Amino acid sequence: QVQLRESGGGLVQAGGSLRLSCVVSGNIFGINFMGWYRQASGKPRELVARIYSGGSTHYADSVKGRFTISRDSAKNAVYLQMNNLQPEDTDDYYCNADVIFGGNYSEGSGDYWGQGTQVTVSS
């Protein structure tokens, strides 16, 4: 089985920083892309940032210049450095990955999600 485990959420004052981590484990052949989404109660889940296997990235307009996504391919991990956090960033953050599963060769692919980590920003 493939699992995504997030960490790094918490409570921070406006203007502060947090770094989210997500590690993918399981019988993994490769990862096409990884990203972070966020969702507040009563609102749809929205893309925050995404990074592809080739290193290209995409950011939501609301976080450009403040958030940075990075990855460590050797660890099957993705990180989200969040600087200058604002109250509107308060959300549950979810890690997402398009995973090619299989040990010695590709056996298929699928879209996987973590269980989420909570970020709360006080003003």
Side-chain angles (χ1 to χ4, degrees):
Q1 61 178 339
V2 176
Q3 291 186 329
L4 278 65
R5 297 184 179 183
E6 305 108 328
S7 62
L11 174 65
V12 66
Q13 190 175 12
S17 299
L18 287 172
R19 183 170 126 110
L20 305 183
S21 299
C22 175
V23 179
V24 181
S25 62
N27 194 26
I28 300 169
F29 181 80
I31 299 176
N32 290 321
F33 61 82
M34 304 180 73
W36 291 94
Y37 289 72
R38 63 186 182 186
Q39 184 175 28
S41 179
K43 296 182 179 180
R45 187 171 296 184
E46 63 177 358
L47 175 67
V48 177
R50 184 166 56 214
I51 186 166
Y52 295 88
S53 61
S56 62
T57 59
H58 175 79
Y59 295 93
D61 289 341
S62 60
V63 306
K64 287 181 178 178
R66 298 189 297 123
F67 292 8
T68 302
I69 189 169
S70 60
R71 63 187 174 94
D72 186 336
S73 297
K75 297 180 179 180
N76 291 323
V78 64
Y79 310 95
L80 186 67
Q81 179 66 45
M82 304 184 292
N83 296 327
N84 192 24
L85 284 161
Q86 300 299 312
E88 55 264 34
D89 297 316
T90 296
D91 272 316
D92 291 328
Y93 285 72
Y94 297 86
C95 181
N96 169 247
D98 187 59
V99 177
I100 305 169
F101 53 86
N104 297 323
Y105 55 90
S106 174
E107 296 179 357
S109 63
D111 194 42
Y112 293 87
W113 293 87
Q115 292 184 323
T117 184
Q118 189 174 45
V119 172
T120 303
V121 184
S122 62
S123 60

